[in-house]
Amino acid sequence: GQNIDQPTEMTATEGAIVQINCTYQTSGFNGLFWYQQHAGEAPTFLSYNVLDGLEEKGRFSSFLSRSKGYSYLLLKELQMKDSASYLCAVINSNYQLIWGAGTKLIIKP
Amino acid sequence: DGGITQSPKYLFRKEGQNVTLSCEQNLNHDAMYWYRQDPGQGLRLIYYSQIVNDFQKGDIAEGYSVSREKKESFPLTVTSAQKNPTAFYLCASSTIAGATDTQYFGPGTRLTVL
């Protein structure tokens, strides 16, 4: 089967750094997306990784290791508005997009 | 402003009734998608369309139907055959149908069956 694992929930403090992990077992790999979703709202695109390494975009960075089937999303200088769910999604060899259940991030003052 | 609109935001339906969820985009995207989101689960693909007058079943198409008569519009009908229709429904679009293209989402419709 195809599987994407993310922690269900994480808590962090305003101003700190948090790393959200995503591990995947899929039939092939053609890229990985991270989306942010505030409660009751639409997911919004954060990043796309297809090659190994770190992609930095402001306070957010995304890392990929294809050999380990692993990615993480790094959020720096956390703000209260970063409280949301973070969705990991992988494109498999059939170009199907497989979604993880998401990680709910709670930011405390 | 370009974007995707879904209406209504909240929808209540009695058991046994069909209901249609609207999705409109003015991004000039060719591909459109319908997903269902349930608590504790990843997004699940219901239907997708790569071009006008063509659409394909996703992973959970049973009990749903769609049409794509215009490039801008991709309505989803939840029929009475759908056994557990209460969920959050998300519509998305992308420039091309390949999964490597970023999908942009509408605000969603929360359907509750009473």
Side-chain angles (χ1 to χ4, degrees):
Chain A
Q2 304 191 87
N3 199 49
I4 297 184
D5 290 315
Q6 305 180 237
T8 303
E9 187 174 295
M10 299 181 69
T11 303
T13 305
E14 191 177 14
I17 299 173
V18 71
Q19 178 175 309
I20 302 174
N21 295 327
C22 171
T23 57
Y24 60 89
Q25 299 95 34
T26 55
S27 54
F29 177 86
N30 279 300
L32 184 146
F33 288 97
W34 282 98
Y35 280 79
Q36 179 191 62
Q37 185 180 25
H38 286 98
E41 297 183 9
T44 54
F45 170 76
L46 289 177
S47 67
Y48 172 67
N49 294 69
V50 64
L51 299 176
D52 290 349
L54 188 67
E55 297 271 347
E56 296 186 76
K57 209 185 269 189
R59 293 190 298 115
F60 292 8
S61 303
S62 57
F63 172 83
L64 174 67
S65 169
R66 289 171 295 172
S67 62
K68 295 183 180 178
Y70 168 69
S71 173
Y72 67 72
L73 182 68
L74 191 71
L75 290 73
K76 302 177 184 176
E77 301 170 14
L78 286 169
Q79 302 174 9
M80 297 303 293
K81 67 178 182 180
D82 297 331
S83 291
S85 289
Y86 292 86
L87 313 180
C88 174
V90 171
I91 307 163
N92 67 10
S93 57
N94 293 326
Y95 291 91
Q96 298 170 315
L97 194 56
I98 312 298
W99 293 83
T103 297
K104 182 178 180 180
L105 178 63
I106 299 169
I107 310 296
K108 295 186 175 180
Chain B
D1 281 340
I4 303 175
T5 58
Q6 290 185 244
S7 61
K9 189 164 179 65
Y10 298 96
L11 189 57
F12 297 88
R13 182 196 106 177
K14 292 182 179 179
E15 274 193 43
Q17 289 181 337
N18 292 356
V19 62
T20 298
L21 281 59
S22 166
C23 177
E24 304 278 331
Q25 55 98 358
N26 61 3
L27 299 168
N28 200 32
H29 285 173
D30 287 310
M32 297 186 75
Y33 312 81
W34 272 106
Y35 289 95
R36 172 182 171 136
Q37 187 173 36
D38 294 284
Q41 298 189 39
L43 299 182
R44 292 184 289 169
L45 183 64
I46 304 172
Y47 270 97
Y48 66 99
S49 169
Q50 299 174 327
I51 197 169
V52 174
N53 292 322
D54 185 58
F55 48 83
Q56 307 294 329
K57 291 182 179 180
D59 301 318
I60 56 164
E62 185 175 351
Y64 300 98
S65 66
V66 294
S67 63
R68 186 87 186 275
E69 297 176 2
K70 298 186 299 182
K71 187 176 184 177
E72 303 79 17
S73 179
F74 192 41
L76 173 74
T77 297
V78 184
T79 75
S80 56
Q82 169 50 234
K83 298 303 178 190
N84 186 21
T86 294
F88 189 47
Y89 291 88
L90 287 161
C91 178
S93 69
S94 63
T95 53
I96 56 175
T100 57
D101 200 52
T102 302
Q103 294 183 19
Y104 296 91
F105 287 83
T109 292
R110 187 166 297 280
L111 173 64
T112 302
V113 175
L114 304 172

